[in-house]
Amino acid sequence: KVYLHGLWEQTPEYVEYKGKDGEGWLAFRYYSSEVNVVMSGVGDVNVLLDEFPVIEQDKGKDVVHDAEKSIVKVEGSDMYNVVKHKDYHSRLLKLKPVKGIKIYALTFG
């Protein structure tokens, strides 16, 4: 299940965040060693694992640390590697996008 909070537009292909920056989120629980998210648009997406920034050992290749946040800098349509654990984990992933970011798909490894 995927949970949306805030102002989102849902289409058959994607969900697009239409609300104020920093207020909305998309969240889901996963059990895997890797999470990828297909997104488009331009802007930062704040990434939280169990309500905390992603630590260095769990971050995917597209996550960078910016002050106290872990973010993905979305710069067009692509699949972004968000989480990469050494082993399988059950965690809650929350994505907090800026207005205009579209999320198409989630893939797991």
Side-chain angles (χ1 to χ4, degrees):
K1 293 182 182 180
V2 173
Y3 300 93
L4 299 173
H5 174 78
L7 184 59
W8 292 83
E9 178 182 341
Q10 297 182 41
T11 75
E13 294 183 21
Y14 60 83
V15 293
E16 180 178 359
Y17 184 61
K18 300 278 195 170
K20 293 181 181 179
D21 293 354
E23 290 186 3
W25 45 260
L26 177 148
F28 58 94
R29 184 160 292 283
Y30 68 88
Y31 180 73
S32 83
S33 62
E34 187 171 355
V35 179
N36 301 292
V37 183
V38 179
M39 296 184 277
S40 70
V42 175
D44 292 347
V45 176
N46 189 9
V47 182
L48 301 169
L49 272 180
D50 298 328
E51 300 295 338
F52 296 99
V54 182
I55 62 174
E56 188 70 30
Q57 70 188 33
D58 293 330
K59 72 181 186 102
K61 69 178 179 73
D62 295 311
V63 172
V64 295
H65 288 105
D66 180 14
E68 298 293 318
K69 297 180 180 178
S70 52
I71 61 171
V72 173
K73 293 184 178 290
V74 177
E75 297 174 343
S77 299
D78 207 347
M79 182 171 74
Y80 295 90
N81 183 238
V82 177
V83 174
K84 183 131 176 113
H85 303 292
K86 291 183 181 180
D87 299 310
Y88 280 75
H89 287 271
S90 178
R91 306 287 292 272
L92 175 68
L93 182 66
K94 185 180 280 187
L95 304 173
K96 299 179 79 174
V98 295
K99 188 174 185 176
I101 296 293
K102 296 177 181 174
I103 300 175
Y104 291 83
L106 309 167
T107 67
F108 307 92

